[in-house]
Amino acid sequence: MNISIYTVKPKLPNALKPLEEMARNLWLSWNFDAVQLFIRLDYESWLKSQQSPVRTLGMVSQERLTRVAQDDSYLAALNAVYSRFQKYKKGETWYRGGKKDVVAYFSMEYGMDVSLPIYSGGLGILSGDHMKTSSDMGLPLVGVGLLYRQGYFTQVLNADGFQQESYPENDWYNMPVERKTGKDGEPLKISVDMAGRQACAQIWEVKVGRSSLYLLDTNIEENAPDIRNITAALYGGDKETRIQQEILLGIGGIRALRALGINPAAAHMNEGHAAFLGLERIREIMSEKGFSFREAMEAVWPTSIFTTHTPVPAGNERFDAGLLEKYFRKWTEILGISWKEFLSLGRERPDDEHENFCMTVLALKLAAYANGVARLHGEVSRNMWKNLWPGLPLDEVPIGHVTNGVHPRTWVSSPMTDLLDRYFGPHFEDEPTDLSIWNRMDRISDEELWRTHERRRERLVAFARERIRSHLKRTGAVERRMQQAEDALSPYILTLAFARRFATYKRGNLLLRDPDRLLRLLKDNERPIQLIFAGKAHPMDMPGKELIREIIHFAEKNDVTSRIVFIENYDMAVAHYLTSGADVWLNTPRRPMEASGTSGMKAAMNGVLNCSILDGWWDEAYNPEVGWAIGQGEQYEDNQLQDDIESKALYDLLERDIVPLFYQRGRDNLPREWIKRMKVCMREIGQSMSSHRMLMDYSNMFYFPALKNYRRIIKDDYAESRALAAYMAKLRDAWNSIHIVSIESNAKPVMQRGDALTVNAKIELAGLSPGEVLVELYHGSVSNQSMEIRNARRTEMKAMNQDGNLWIYQVRIECADTGCQGHTVRILPKHEALVHPYRTGLVKWA
């Protein structure tokens, strides 16, 4: 069939032209007054469009557009919002430097708005907030991802409560994306080798305020059907599809930026999916400069950032050697290394031929900067990947942490934002990096805060009832069941929400463990509670699906369907209602399997109090004034025992603390103590868990240093990288011959605080000069149990003189701490171009 294809756009009157520009910029996703313009334009079209501004414009009749264009009230509102939009784009920002060289931020998914469904859960929502915050701060950052034809699945529950999936097709021509074209007006395209075949991809742009996100799409005519399907679905297909997607994201993403004329001076890999980009950046430098692989790698390493989100080894992407060989055997010729060397880049144990290739290991080896996404997750990550740095103390493994955050103006409800704007002033919107503004929470009266929250709970209940009616109608429920939807939930009683991915370790059924205690709480005539659940299980996760079914069956079996509700198809729209309308946000993962979690942060900024296991972000944010902790951070080997203990602790909290506090009212019927906690919660979490704090951390710790490294490296045409590679080669050749011959000190069995301790070490440097190694005294308190040095201090030793082939190093320190103390000596690499001295396999102890 010969089909002519063209694009039809809505014909807007001149007075309404600003609507089209704003519809195609996701700035409106965190500015509700802009969204209201589209709702007001035609409410029915807005609902049918599934809250898509672009599609709404195409659905409104020309007659209606003409009429609205003559409505002075509407035009006044439009002009006011558009003026704010223009002011935002042109206004001063936190970052005021140049933008010639950018940080390229790579993520497999982005959750920015319901109108762009290319996300599955927390990773995507975080990436979306990252992009929005970068826009607020004016950072030199662009996003890179994939444009999925189907995105993630739509969840549908059958009459038995079993999850089923559907995969609706996305219509890019009615979504906030724009295909990029070249100077000839034709779509801009790049190509990537896929096991001997070329995969072509076109590039789409999503405007996010001041920032841009670029998405690659292989669904074009030049490609064979299987190649076109690479971007068919997020996390769809088999292992081969996954490696194809990750090749396209990493290698194709760098090429797309080059085609757009953008220089990715630094690269941030948000999870290991994009780690192949490091190979492409190395290939580029080798091709342009004639460098060896090691020389080019030393230029890429200081400009690469990697964030890991996975707290368990099984969650990290791995490919077997056979699949990797199919797609990367040619790369050994391109990079000038052996196949064994290539495989070693993704192996913890380079000589283990049976170990699969791990994308996280590749990212860690190619990036100078690495971090987990919460303080506890940083500790977990250092322990998980410590074998990459054998001999290095756990606290020195070079994986830090930047705790995740959420974008306040996206996630704080519109009524609550209006309230905050009134009391915080224009500074709250204009300077979002001034987090001290949250200290003004005490200016808000208890009455206003509580009324605002109650209205959000009412909206949540109304929304939930509508979703229940829709579900019952679709599953053919009888009239009696349809009537029950009208009685589901109450807008006046204590509401707990549990909303997240339904995986077994998140324990969505923990509150069901003692049915009698739960039913007493639900059916209490004077102080009842109600529970709202939401979340998707992975399509292949049958135990996760059974958890959902168990909750629904529990409610029906015990006749508490008016008190326990499951809202299907958890997405950003559902999340907005839940995080602003619940009273308590419940989170029950098995510690330490929650890397961070951000839904509780969103709830907290709306004044919703958290009740959670001390895991992820809550482990560092919790204090008794902002919510409740289930347990004290214990970890168990016996899952059944853990579930018993922690479910009882949860029931105790509800019965003794949470329920009584909520229903403790004065004559004015206000829960004053509860409201007091709401204010403290909003003040504390608003400052500590804002995505603006997160991006300031990333900028100061990683982005700015990486960009500075890049400018220094290119200043002398990469001579520094070549010198560093030569140094590292020389060091590795000599390493086995370097050793600490002896250590002497003036230490006595008993020393006094303040005494001077002098330590001398004789060291064989195997032909290296003293300036080429870092010799340190490693000293501190000694554990009686393990005979290890704890809370160690590191003091550099100086080369004093030479004794034949040996160098004499010396240091003098003061005995500052009492108790059992000890010291030893170690050797590390030392070069001015090293971001840090912790390179794989290069630490030598006495």
Side-chain angles (χ1 to χ4, degrees):
M1 184 182 296
N2 186 9
I3 301 176
S4 298
I5 297 176
Y6 47 88
T7 303
V8 177
K9 293 187 176 182
K11 185 179 180 181
L12 295 179
N14 287 334
L16 302 183
K17 289 289 186 184
L19 285 174
E20 185 166 15
E21 182 182 349
M22 289 191 291
R24 294 188 175 276
N25 192 310
L26 289 179
W27 173 83
L28 61 74
S29 69
W30 68 93
N31 288 274
F32 189 67
D33 53 353
V35 173
Q36 284 180 312
L37 292 173
F38 295 88
I39 297 174
R40 187 174 168 186
L41 187 65
D42 189 318
Y43 185 61
E44 290 301 318
S45 295
W46 174 255
L47 293 179
K48 290 177 181 178
S49 75
Q50 297 181 322
Q51 302 179 40
S52 169
V54 176
R55 187 178 288 117
T56 297
L57 291 180
M59 295 174 68
V60 178
S61 69
Q62 205 65 42
E63 180 185 0
R64 173 63 179 165
L65 292 173
T66 301
R67 194 162 59 248
V68 171
Q70 297 169 355
D71 182 339
D72 58 349
S73 171
Y74 185 90
L75 294 179
L78 171 59
N79 291 332
V81 172
Y82 189 64
S83 294
R84 278 188 52 234
F85 177 51
Q86 294 300 321
K87 179 185 174 184
Y88 174 86
K89 290 199 297 181
K90 297 173 183 176
E92 285 192 349
T93 59
W94 179 76
Y95 175 77
R96 299 177 185 178
K99 296 188 178 181
K100 177 185 175 184
D101 304 317
V102 305
V103 176
Y105 178 79
F106 287 72
S107 184
M108 200 74 162
E109 53 175 299
Y110 290 87
M112 289 179 289
D113 189 60
V114 291
S115 65
L116 189 63
I118 55 170
Y119 63 94
S120 70
L123 180 70
I125 301 299
L126 175 74
S127 302
D129 282 4
H130 201 105
M131 291 301 303
K132 294 173 186 179
T133 310
S134 174
S135 168
D136 288 345
M137 296 169 61
L139 292 176
L141 181 145
V142 298
V144 180
L146 303 182
L147 190 65
Y148 303 100
R149 193 169 74 243
Q150 295 177 333
Y152 205 48
F153 68 88
T154 296
Q155 180 193 53
V156 178
L157 302 183
N158 66 16
D160 190 43
F162 189 76
Q163 174 183 294
Q164 297 172 320
E165 300 86 28
S166 65
Y167 296 85
E169 297 273 331
N170 288 320
D171 176 10
W172 303 126
Y173 298 95
N174 281 306
M175 290 185 174
V177 296
E178 180 182 352
R179 187 162 50 185
K180 300 301 291 181
T181 57
K183 293 179 180 179
D184 58 359
E186 292 298 312
L188 202 58
K189 297 174 184 176
I190 57 96
S191 65
V192 178
D193 180 81
M194 292 284 181
R197 296 189 298 163
Q198 289 300 303
C200 293
Q202 56 188 352
I203 307 166
W204 299 75
E205 180 182 14
V206 180
K207 288 183 169 61
V208 188
R210 303 178 179 98
S211 301
S212 290
L213 165 64
Y214 297 102
L215 303 172
L216 301 182
D217 166 26
T218 60
N219 186 27
I220 52 179
E221 291 184 359
E222 297 96 301
N223 290 327
D226 61 321
I227 298 294
R228 295 181 71 162
N229 283 333
I230 291 176
T231 54
L234 171 60
Y235 303 137
D238 55 13
K239 274 288 185 181
E240 185 148 17
T241 302
R242 288 297 290 272
I243 197 171
Q244 290 173 339
Q245 288 183 337
E246 295 180 11
I247 289 170
L248 181 65
L249 176 63
I251 298 173
I254 292 292
R255 293 180 184 179
L257 294 177
R258 296 295 185 198
L260 291 161
I262 297 171
N263 178 32
H268 182 180
M269 298 165 277
N270 190 41
E271 256 305 358
H273 307 123
F276 290 137
L277 70 82
L279 302 179
E280 174 64 9
R281 297 180 75 208
I282 289 171
R283 183 202 65 78
E284 285 184 333
I285 295 172
M286 291 178 66
S287 176
E288 293 171 9
K289 303 296 178 184
F291 277 18
S292 69
F293 173 78
R294 294 294 170 186
E295 290 170 337
M297 183 176 171
E298 295 299 350
V300 168
W301 182 73
T303 62
S304 298
I305 303 113
F306 169 59
T307 299
T308 175
H309 293 259
T310 310
V312 290
N316 294 273
E317 188 80 84
R318 297 176 188 270
F319 299 111
D320 65 66
L323 184 60
L324 203 72
E325 184 171 17
K326 178 178 178 179
Y327 286 89
F328 281 96
R329 188 72 198 213
K330 289 183 179 178
W331 276 78
T332 59
E333 300 173 16
I334 296 170
L335 300 177
I337 58 176
S338 69
W339 181 239
K340 182 179 179 181
E341 287 176 299
F342 186 93
L343 290 175
S344 72
L345 293 171
R347 285 174 169 169
E348 292 183 73
R349 302 172 300 279
D351 295 324
D352 184 353
E353 295 184 1
H354 300 290
E355 182 182 349
N356 286 340
F357 188 95
C358 179
M359 297 296 284
T360 302
V361 172
L362 176 64
L364 287 169
K365 289 185 177 181
L366 296 184
Y369 305 99
N371 69 283
V373 289
R375 183 177 63 195
L376 177 60
H377 182 237
E379 296 172 9
V380 170
S381 298
R382 286 190 289 277
N383 189 57
M384 190 187 310
W385 302 110
K386 62 187 177 184
N387 292 335
L388 289 174
W389 294 272
L392 200 62
L394 192 60
D395 65 336
E396 291 184 292
V397 169
I399 303 175
H401 81 274
V402 174
T403 302
N404 284 344
V406 298
H407 188 250
R409 297 195 85 86
T410 293
W411 293 106
V412 177
S413 72
S414 176
M416 189 66 77
T417 298
D418 290 343
L419 181 66
L420 298 181
D421 280 338
R422 286 206 309 275
Y423 284 92
F424 288 5
H427 196 65
F428 182 46
E429 180 177 10
D430 296 340
E431 297 190 40
T433 53
D434 183 3
L435 303 176
S436 65
I437 198 74
W438 287 91
N439 289 325
R440 297 182 179 181
M441 276 303 304
D442 287 336
R443 296 183 179 185
I444 303 173
S445 70
D446 289 358
E447 290 82 1
E448 283 190 279
L449 182 61
W450 188 244
R451 298 303 173 222
T452 302
H453 176 67
E454 284 195 311
R455 284 195 296 272
R456 291 310 303 168
R457 193 191 311 116
E458 291 166 5
R459 289 294 301 128
L460 169 59
V461 170
F463 171 78
R465 288 173 177 173
E466 179 57 38
R467 282 297 187 96
I468 295 167
R469 279 194 295 269
S470 176
H471 167 73
L472 292 174
K473 184 177 180 180
R474 193 191 68 249
T475 55
V478 296
E479 184 62 27
R480 182 181 61 82
R481 289 292 306 276
M482 294 291 289
Q483 282 291 15
Q484 289 177 350
E486 303 301 325
D487 299 325
L489 306 176
S490 164
Y492 309 112
I493 69 176
L494 176 60
T495 304
L496 282 69
F498 180 98
R500 52 202 7 94
R501 181 165 58 89
F502 264 75
T504 52
Y505 80 87
K506 293 180 182 281
R507 297 188 296 176
N509 61 345
L510 188 66
L511 203 49
L512 277 56
R513 197 161 182 85
D514 188 334
D516 291 338
R517 288 183 80 173
L518 176 57
L519 290 171
R520 283 198 298 270
L521 286 164
L522 293 168
K523 295 181 177 182
D524 190 302
N525 290 327
E526 295 181 358
R527 303 188 305 182
I529 71 168
Q530 58 192 5
L531 303 172
I532 303 178
F533 291 90
K536 298 177 180 179
H538 187 277
M540 304 302 291
D541 184 3
M542 296 306 293
K545 291 184 177 183
E546 281 300 320
L547 285 179
I548 296 172
R549 191 165 168 268
E550 179 185 350
I551 290 167
I552 293 169
H553 279 220
F554 179 92
E556 293 176 347
K557 175 184 175 183
N558 294 283
D559 194 25
V560 285
T561 53
S562 64
R563 289 285 186 264
I564 296 181
V565 165
F566 191 98
I567 299 177
E568 63 185 357
N569 200 37
Y570 183 45
D571 62 6
M572 291 183 73
V574 176
H576 275 103
Y577 282 100
L578 289 172
T579 55
S580 63
D583 298 299
V584 175
W585 197 257
L586 190 61
N587 188 27
T588 54
R590 294 191 193 282
R591 176 185 167 109
M593 297 181 71
E594 183 95 310
S596 172
T598 57
S599 60
M601 301 176 190
K602 298 160 193 158
M605 287 188 193
N606 281 285
V608 178
L609 303 181
N610 276 260
C611 178
S612 174
I613 298 292
L614 288 171
D615 198 8
W617 75 282
W618 192 238
D619 179 68
E620 62 194 85
Y622 165 73
N623 74 66
E625 294 183 328
V626 300
W628 294 272
I630 304 169
Q632 298 178 341
E634 304 91 345
Q635 292 175 212
Y636 301 81
E637 293 185 5
D638 185 331
N639 288 345
Q640 292 298 319
L641 176 63
Q642 180 180 13
D643 291 350
D644 283 340
I645 292 173
E646 292 180 342
S647 64
K648 289 175 182 176
L650 176 54
Y651 292 126
D652 288 344
L653 282 173
L654 287 167
E655 293 166 350
R656 299 173 186 175
D657 294 335
I658 299 174
V659 172
L661 188 68
F662 181 83
Y663 286 104
Q664 180 183 319
R665 309 291 173 103
R667 288 185 177 181
D668 55 8
N669 200 35
L670 292 178
R672 297 281 182 178
E673 288 301 314
W674 188 280
I675 296 169
K676 181 180 177 181
R677 288 201 185 198
M678 288 175 65
K679 288 184 176 181
V680 175
C681 175
M682 294 174 73
R683 183 181 70 232
E684 297 296 323
I685 304 306
Q687 294 183 74
S688 63
M689 297 301 157
S690 163
S691 56
H692 297 91
R693 185 274 310 154
M694 176 182 76
L695 261 291
M696 286 190 283
D697 286 349
Y698 272 114
S699 297
N700 292 322
M701 294 167 60
F702 304 142
Y703 292 168
F704 296 162
L707 290 172
K708 183 179 179 181
N709 293 341
Y710 172 79
R711 288 189 283 269
R712 190 185 68 246
I713 288 168
I714 65 168
K715 185 171 65 175
D716 56 4
D717 200 29
Y718 293 87
E720 180 184 278
S721 302
R722 180 166 274 175
L724 179 57
Y727 162 75
M728 293 302 297
K730 178 182 179 182
L731 183 68
R732 291 187 187 279
D733 287 344
W735 194 251
N736 289 335
S737 300
I738 296 173
H739 62 280
I740 300 163
V741 176
S742 65
I743 302 175
E744 298 177 351
S745 75
N746 65 339
K748 296 177 288 190
V750 178
M751 305 280 285
Q752 300 294 317
R753 175 184 280 165
D755 286 353
L757 177 68
T758 301
V759 180
N760 294 290
K762 290 185 178 181
I763 297 178
E764 169 61 65
L765 292 183
L768 297 177
S769 69
E772 293 179 307
V773 293
L774 175 63
V775 179
E776 292 182 331
L777 183 71
Y778 189 85
H779 55 103
S781 301
V782 176
S783 166
N784 290 327
Q785 182 176 357
S786 62
M787 294 306 292
E788 294 178 349
I789 296 176
R790 301 175 301 181
N791 303 316
R793 296 188 180 93
R794 296 164 285 278
T795 306
E796 185 174 356
M797 303 181 73
K798 302 296 183 183
M800 306 302 292
N801 51 62
Q802 200 168 3
D803 181 8
N805 293 329
L806 304 180
W807 280 93
I808 311 298
Y809 280 78
Q810 187 179 89
V811 69
R812 184 179 180 183
I813 62 170
E814 181 182 299
C815 294
D817 298 326
T818 60
C820 186
Q821 304 291 307
H823 63 259
T824 187
V825 174
R826 70 177 185 180
I827 303 172
L828 293 163
K830 184 179 182 180
H831 192 281
E832 61 182 3
L834 281 173
V835 173
H836 59 71
Y838 308 124
R839 300 299 288 264
T840 301
L842 294 178
V843 56
K844 184 148 292 190
W845 296 88

